Amino acid sequence: MRALAEFIMRGRMQATLVVVGSAALPLLFWLSAAAGCLVLLRRGLSDALSILVWALLPALGWWYFGDPRTLLVLLGSLGLALLLRAGQSWTRVLLCSVAVGLVYGLVLGSVFREPIAALVAELQKLMPQALGGLHQQLSVDEQTRLNALLAPVLTGLLAALLQVVSLLCLILGRYWQAALYNPGGFGREFRALRLPPALALLLLAGMLLGPNLGAQAAMLTPLCSVPLAFAGLALIHGLVADGRLARFWLVGLYVTLLLFMQLIYPLLVVFAIVDSLIDFRGRLARKNGAGPANGEG
């Protein structure tokens, strides 16, 4: 991957080839967004525009054929990269990713209205079997409200997936930038990520109270969980780097996350919330007598 990053930064023509070519190829839109983030983070918006504007052509072409993902991820990740280049913290970037996810949800809800409606209809048929006797205990109004939440929640899940992809593209671009110009810098930056208690509780409130604010606000539940999940990953990476956990746990985390995402993902969210309140890494550093800079200046 470092060789690819070196090729991208070799010149304008090479960067354009990767950014535009990846956007034009199926299932490689993430590489286009990551390469665009690298160029933007290193060279700034004015120099990157002459490259990124060409990537809009294949992205708009994919939208014309009914697939908005390329354009959404490209613009979303570049917008977050602008914040990061402007000196905003990863905490602010993660919070802004929720707003990006809301935009994704509105667009996906419009473009994929019919497929989502068809999927909701199938889920409504399976709901009595899935819930068993619990579904029969619900009143008519409660069943109606439950059915009304299906479409927004599904749309929110799709938007949250693109939100995750956008953040991963930004992370890959930042990793490339550090590998080329500041080795080890991204690792220290990511491992230091910890959400303030007020922000973590705000995101938790968005997850739990979103469906009570209206059917469309149910999209907030998956969208607000994404920053917490990334903060949970940063916590595990930080504990491994400090020697509190063996590297085996980090490998096991990603393997189980791929195989049992429905179980591990909520645990990451819980870890992030608890860490925001307790600050595991800070407590361990103070217990060991480390200074506030933790030896990193």
Side-chain angles (χ1 to χ4, degrees):
M1 296 296 282
R2 179 188 173 93
L4 178 59
E6 292 175 345
F7 178 79
I8 293 170
M9 299 307 298
R10 191 172 299 168
R12 191 181 301 268
M13 181 178 298
Q14 289 85 346
T16 303
L17 177 64
V18 174
V19 173
V20 179
S22 300
L25 294 174
L27 301 179
L28 283 181
F29 60 90
W30 59 270
L31 180 58
S32 175
C37 287
L38 171 61
V39 175
L40 180 58
L41 289 170
R42 180 61 182 174
R43 297 181 179 174
L45 181 61
S46 58
D47 289 343
L49 270 180
S50 59
I51 297 172
L52 299 175
V53 69
W54 291 104
L56 295 178
L57 297 179
L60 290 172
W62 281 113
W63 189 313
Y64 177 79
F65 289 107
D67 187 356
R69 292 176 302 171
T70 301
L71 184 61
L72 291 178
V73 171
L74 181 64
L75 295 180
S77 58
L78 292 176
L80 297 175
L82 278 175
L83 292 175
L84 198 58
R85 178 176 170 80
Q88 300 296 334
S89 65
W90 275 101
T91 299
R92 186 71 59 85
V93 171
L94 289 176
L95 180 60
C96 291
S97 75
V98 177
V100 172
L102 283 173
V103 175
Y104 289 169
L106 294 175
V107 174
L108 293 174
S110 176
V111 175
F112 296 130
R113 181 182 292 109
E114 294 182 2
I116 291 176
L119 183 57
V120 167
E122 293 298 324
L123 288 175
Q124 288 175 350
K125 296 177 182 178
L126 297 174
M127 195 70 69
Q129 300 177 5
L131 297 179
L134 181 61
H135 187 270
Q136 297 177 357
Q137 297 176 8
L138 297 176
S139 65
V140 176
D141 292 339
E142 290 173 337
Q143 292 182 14
T144 302
R145 183 173 180 273
L146 179 61
N147 291 333
L149 292 175
L150 289 177
V153 169
L154 285 175
T155 305
L157 288 173
L158 293 174
L161 179 59
L162 292 186
Q163 180 186 357
V164 169
V165 173
S166 299
L167 286 170
L168 290 176
C169 291
L170 175 60
I171 287 174
L172 180 56
R174 188 67 156 184
Y175 168 77
W176 279 341
Q177 182 191 22
L180 294 178
Y181 308 106
N182 182 26
F186 171 73
R188 294 189 297 270
E189 191 176 75
F190 182 70
R191 291 191 296 268
L193 172 62
R194 173 178 169 267
L195 298 180
L199 178 56
L201 294 177
L202 178 63
L203 292 171
L204 177 62
M207 291 175 56
L208 299 179
L209 302 179
N212 296 321
L213 301 177
Q216 293 303 318
M219 284 195 300
L220 288 173
T221 297
L223 297 178
C224 289
S225 71
V226 173
L228 292 168
F230 275 91
L233 286 175
L235 169 63
I236 304 300
H237 276 268
L239 294 176
V240 170
D242 292 339
R244 301 298 171 179
L245 291 176
R247 188 168 295 274
F248 165 80
W249 289 101
L250 194 59
V251 176
L253 169 66
Y254 284 104
V255 172
T256 54
L257 185 60
L258 291 175
L259 298 177
F260 308 103
M261 181 174 292
Q262 68 276 15
L263 298 177
I264 303 302
Y265 187 91
L267 283 178
L268 290 175
V269 172
V270 173
F271 288 160
I273 295 172
V274 175
D275 180 53
S276 70
L277 299 175
I278 298 179
D279 188 10
F280 291 112
R281 287 158 289 183
R283 285 176 176 269
L284 292 172
R286 289 191 294 271
K287 184 177 180 180
N288 290 338
N294 201 22
E296 294 181 0

